[in-house]
Each structure stands twice: as structure tokens, then as C-alpha cells.
Amino acid sequence: MIARRTAWLWVPLLLAAGRLGLTNDQVATGREGAVVAAEPMAARIGLDVLLAGGNAVDAAVATFLALAVTHPQAGNLGGGGFLLVRLADGTATTFDFREKAPAAVDAGTYLRADGTVDEALLRQGVTAAGVPGSPAGMLAVLERFGTRPIAELAAPAIRLAREGFLVSRFLAEDLADAQADLARHPSTRAIFFRGDRPLQAGERLVQPDLAATLQRFAQGGFDGFYAGDTARAITQQMQRDGGWITAEDLAAYRVVERAPLRGSYRGHEILSMPPPSSGGVALLQMLNLLEPYDLASLGWGGSRSIHLLTEAMRRAYADRARWLGDPDHHEVPVAGLIDKEYADRLRRGFRTDRISDVIGPGLPPGAKESDDTTHFSVVDAAGNAVACTTTINATFGAGVVVEGAGFLLNNEMDDFSAKPGVPNQYGLIGGRANAIAPGKRMLSSMTPTIVLRDGKPVLVLGSPGGGRIINTVLQVVVNVLDHGMPLPAAVAAPRVHHQWKPETLDWEPQALVPDVREALTLLGHRFAEKPRPIGRCQAIAIGPDGLRTAVADPRSGGAALAY
Ligand code: DON
């Protein structure tokens, strides 16, 4: 499945991977099933479901619910996400359980009288929250493809919430980083703090309210979350603190099953997430732009490869800002954006002697000119594959725990474009397509993706990272398919990121050796001042002999398991 001709090129890369610190827990191989997730206990719970005869969807639901307990930075009941499933019989579909804007908000809600964006209202506390989609999402997925009851799959998560678990170094670090935001909310302090400081590594985190919420959900299904005690806890908090989510918003929440986006790259079929995520569209657009180039012989990490990647990223992110939004509210020219001829047209603007001039969004065919997330992947023994990315947006979301219900609310409203051209917390801009409207889903970058070869999955992957998600997935795909890297190196390899605006290239340590940086400078590239981590990919590769290799990104404390 993988080009081996440039094998020698990734040898230095393997050394870099070693320096990035892949641990024994972060790579696993097996011939039957594999699970990779950002938190080890949740991955283990998913693997146990597979070992007990559950399928990949059962394992995904169990992992999801466990992450809601053990990985509160991003795992959630109070957020949303996307799940891509591809069964061994060829059936493929996606579940969109993205949060929705409450009915009471509109394009003016987050603007001050002088027209500026009130960022605190958009990002912190109850006003930042969209109507949660995750509980409904898990039920929809399970109803369609699961083989085990929700009560059984939720049981390990309920136990972990009730009995507690020891806080890891990673959770302790994230709690310490978010301390000021979390400390503002008494309901959050009550769970994640001991006295006036956040829990530290090795201390026990017990979440009895969350256990009870999970229990009500496991017993009552949709109404066990979107009505009754949990719904009441949410709406009471909204009334007390000035938020907008109502009982009607909760009762009206619906999951949407959408056909996956399909594209091709060097003889592989790519399945990914359609709008309201921009992930699949931008990924396919960039792969289309890159396909004619022989990236393998340019070599990984060379100035020409990075130049071409950047040129592709700039165009896809410019189109993202212009065209992408919730397709149920705004017409999105998806077919045009992922059309190979449109890519041919855009590619004519690429230059090889220097970075192309200031660019704006293109005009794809069919378009009318007018005006802390987490990912896990599962593969089972039958070859069913699940890629799921879920989020409450920022690390610990809106920072506020629903009192009496024990879970954090998302701050997903910031993924809308609150005002055209004004960047959100990831520096992403947008316009009308992603303007706030009642009941609308905010644009996402989440990119759960499955790559197929000859009708069989060869890669199952995704990542958190805000606007950097799409470029993270792109580079892991290119590392494997073009550069022939084994998955551990492909995931660990340092990455770059360009999102059109700002006009600077982001980079991780070791992504740009001095010669390459100098060559790119001569081509006119400008760089972010300091390196920053780009994405945290959780991926599984399936070799031609069926061997599953699961890799948890060394940039986070996840775990890969396989048998
Ligand atoms: O849906 C999105 O694109 C964002 N809410 C994702 C946020 C994210 O990845 C933050 N985690 N690092």
C-alpha cells in the first residue's frame, strides 16, 4: 500500500521521532482489533469491548463515554463532534452531532453597541455554549450499527466517575494551565480543585454528579439527557448565569447522518467529514492540489515540499473562510471545492521561484459569487473502522461545569464567525457562510478520515488542534502515502501549518532545519516567531497482511492498544 522508494529519506525522521518521545504505550500492533485515544483508561475500555466481542462502533461509544470522565479537557457530554464509520462490507457514513446555536441568539448577540466582538461572551461561561450534541450522537451511532446496549457500554465510565481515578500528569498540567478560567466557576472548582488549587498528579478525581448524569443517560436514552433532571440542571444554570439554552433547544436537538466526502489521492480513496466541518473539504482540496507533484522525490522536510504544502494550505484555508458553513443554513459549493479541475485552476497560481502573491478565495464550480478537542480511532477484527473527533472547543470548554450534573459546557459559539473578518481564538476568519444564526451549526475543522486502498481501510485517523487539525491530518496522510513512512514516524514527524491569514508559516521544533528555513525565506515565506505544537494525531494503519499498527501522538499522553 505504501511507496517504499524514499525509505532512506525518513531515517533521520525516525531519529527525530525518538527525540519527540514516542513511548511504549503509544505504539501497538495486533492482528485483530486496535484502539488509540488521547487517554489510556478510555482506550483500554474500548479494547475490552472489542475483546468481549463488541464491534468497532460499540468500542467507540464506550471509549467516548470513558473520555467524558477521564479526559475532561476535551472528552464530553456537554460538547459535540463527528464520527466517520466504514464497515467491512463497504457501508460508510458519518454522524454529525455538532453543537447548535440556541434559538435565542443571532448575528448581533455577541457584538457590543460599538460593533466590536465581545470575546468573553463568546468564549467563557454559559453564554459561549452551543446546544450539546454528544449524547444524542452516541445514541444515533449505536442504534444504527451497535451490537451492545448503551447501559453496558456506559458502565465502565459510570464506575470511573463514581469511584474516581488518579489524575495523570497530563490532566494536572492542563488543569494548572486553565486554573484562572476554571476558578471563576464554583461548580467547576467543586470538582477539579482541592481548596483553592487544581488537583495535582496522583490525587483522586471523583465525579459523583457526572456518574449520576451518565446513569440517567444510560437508562433513559435521549430523554435521559435532553429532558428530566439533566436538562433541568442545564436550563437552571442558563437562567442563573445569563445563558440562552432552553428546554426547547435541548428537546429539539437532532443528529444528522451525512454521506461522507469521497476523494482520491494516488490510487487511494479518501473518506472524510463533510460540512459543517471544513475538514474533509479542505483536506481533499489540498490533496488535489498536491497530487501532480512528486513529493516523494522532493523528500520529506525539504524546502520545495514545504513550499508546495504551504501553497496548498493557503488556498484551502482562504476558501474555507469564504465558502464553508453549516450546509443546512447556507449553500456550500462542496462538489466544486473538491473538484480536481478546480484544483488544476488554482494550481496555476502556484510559483516555484517564490511564494505566490497575496491570494484570496477562489471561485469553485457551482459557487454563486455574492457577497481542546480529542480524536480516537478504532478498528475491529472484522475490519470495521471508526474515526471520531469530539470537542468542547477550548481545553475544558467554557470552563463551567453544569451544577448538579457534573459535566463541562462547550464554548463552541466561538467557532462561528461572530463578525466577518474578525479572527476567532484560533485566528480563523469567516464571513456570511459561518455567521451566527438560531439553530445553526458552527463551522468546524475536525477531520475524522479513513483512507482506503482497493476497497480496504489502510489508515484511520484524526486530530484535535483547532484550525491546525486539517493540516495535521494532511501531513500524516502525505507522510505515509508519499514519503512511505511507517506510521509511528509519520505521526511523530514535526509539522508545519499555514492558514492563509495570518500570512506566516507555523512550525514545530525540528520541522525547519536551518538550510530549509533559509531556502524558504528566499522563496518569500515568513515564519511565526516561535514554534508551537501542531495537532495530536491518533491513528491506526492496516498493512496489506492485516497487521494493525496503532499510534498515539507523542505530543500528548494518549495510548495505543491492539491485540
Ligand atoms: O470544531 C473545531 O474545529 C474546534 N472547535 C476544534 C477545537 C480544538 O481542536 C481544540 N483542541 N485542541
Side-chain angles (χ1 to χ4, degrees), residues 82 98 320 372-373 391 393-394 412 415 426 443-446 463-467 469 536:
F82 302 117
R98 182 71 162 161
R320 177 193 191 280
D372 218 67
T373 308
T391 187
N393 201 17
E412 221 73 61
D415 272 354
Y426 304 111
L443 183 61
S444 173
S445 301
M446 293 188 281
S463 174
I469 292 172
R536 296 180 294 282

Side-chain angles (χ1 to χ4, degrees), residues 79-97:
F82 302 117
L83 185 142
L84 165 63
V85 54
R86 203 268 183 186
L87 299 184
D89 70 5
T91 308
T93 191
T94 75
F95 293 86
D96 164 3
F97 48 98

Side-chain angles (χ1 to χ4, degrees), residues 208-235:
D209 287 344
L210 179 58
T213 298
L214 279 162
Q215 187 73 49
R216 284 192 294 275
F217 171 61
Q219 273 161 5
F222 186 90
D223 285 349
F225 183 90
Y226 292 89
D229 286 352
T230 305
R232 223 171 351 264
I234 297 173
T235 52

Side-chain angles (χ1 to χ4, degrees), residues 226-502:
Y226 292 89
D229 286 352
T230 305
R232 223 171 351 264
I234 297 173
T235 52
Q236 277 169 2
Q237 182 113 12
M238 292 288 150
Q239 282 154 16
R240 203 170 42 239
D241 297 351
W244 291 290
I245 298 176
T246 62
E248 292 71 36
D249 287 326
L250 291 166
Y253 186 84
R254 292 292 174 270
V255 176
V256 185
E257 195 179 329
R258 303 182 191 273
L261 279 193
R262 288 174 189 269
S264 66
Y265 185 66
R266 303 198 197 290
H268 295 77
E269 188 182 8
I270 315 284
L271 304 183
S272 194
M273 192 66 212
S277 181
S278 59
V281 169
L283 175 68
L284 294 183
Q285 201 180 349
M286 292 191 283
L287 291 172
N288 286 343
L289 286 164
L290 292 169
E291 198 166 27
Y293 299 105
D294 188 356
L295 296 179
S297 28
L298 291 178
W300 179 89
S303 58
R304 299 264 156 212
S305 305
I306 294 180
H307 172 70
L308 291 170
L309 282 175
T310 306
E311 289 290 70
M313 290 170 181
R314 293 171 74 212
R315 281 158 182 84
Y317 277 75
D319 278 354
R320 177 193 191 280
R322 171 68 181 84
W323 299 111
L324 272 290
D326 181 351
D328 299 338
H329 283 249
H330 191 96
E331 205 175 314
V332 182
V334 173
L337 286 163
I338 62 172
D339 183 79
K340 294 222 187 245
E341 282 176 23
Y342 175 56
D344 294 343
R345 183 142 60 80
L346 288 186
R347 203 183 307 105
R348 282 189 219 123
F350 282 29
R351 301 184 54 142
T352 47
D353 57 337
R354 66 176 176 82
I355 192 162
S356 51
D357 292 331
V358 176
I359 56 161
L363 187 60
K368 287 184 222 86
E369 184 57 299
S370 53
D371 25 303
D372 218 67
T373 308
T374 190
H375 178 89
F376 62 90
S377 301
V378 184
V379 174
D380 66 19
N384 303 311
V386 172
C388 179
T389 316
T390 178
T391 187
I392 42 177
N393 201 17
T395 309
F396 303 107
V400 56
V401 165
V402 176
E403 199 169 335
F407 61 87
L408 284 155
L409 284 170
N410 68 82
N411 66 340
E412 221 73 61
M413 292 302 289
D414 186 55
D415 272 354
F416 278 117
S417 173
K419 188 175 177 180
V422 175
N424 74 354
Q425 64 182 305
Y426 304 111
L428 297 167
I429 56 173
R432 259 191 46 205
N434 190 31
I436 299 177
K440 187 172 173 182
R441 286 160 145 91
M442 54 296 282
L443 183 61
S444 173
S445 301
M446 293 188 281
T447 315
T449 297
I450 297 177
V451 179
L452 305 163
R453 176 94 200 189
D454 302 327
K456 294 221 163 84
V458 294
L459 261 185
V460 185
L461 75 166
S463 174
R468 298 152 172 254
I469 292 172
I470 317 168
N471 286 336
T472 298
V473 172
L474 170 75
Q475 286 167 87
V476 176
V477 169
V478 165
N479 286 347
V480 174
L481 300 191
D482 287 275
H483 299 300
M485 287 183 201
L487 192 64
V491 170
R495 300 191 264 264
V496 295
H497 168 78
H498 201 299
Q499 61 181 44
W500 176 51
K501 304 275 182 193

Side-chain angles (χ1 to χ4, degrees), residues 517-531:
R517 192 173 164 124
E518 202 177 306
L520 286 168
T521 307
L522 290 174
L523 292 173
H525 291 263
R526 296 194 349 237
F527 306 96
E529 246 173 61
K530 282 191 283 188

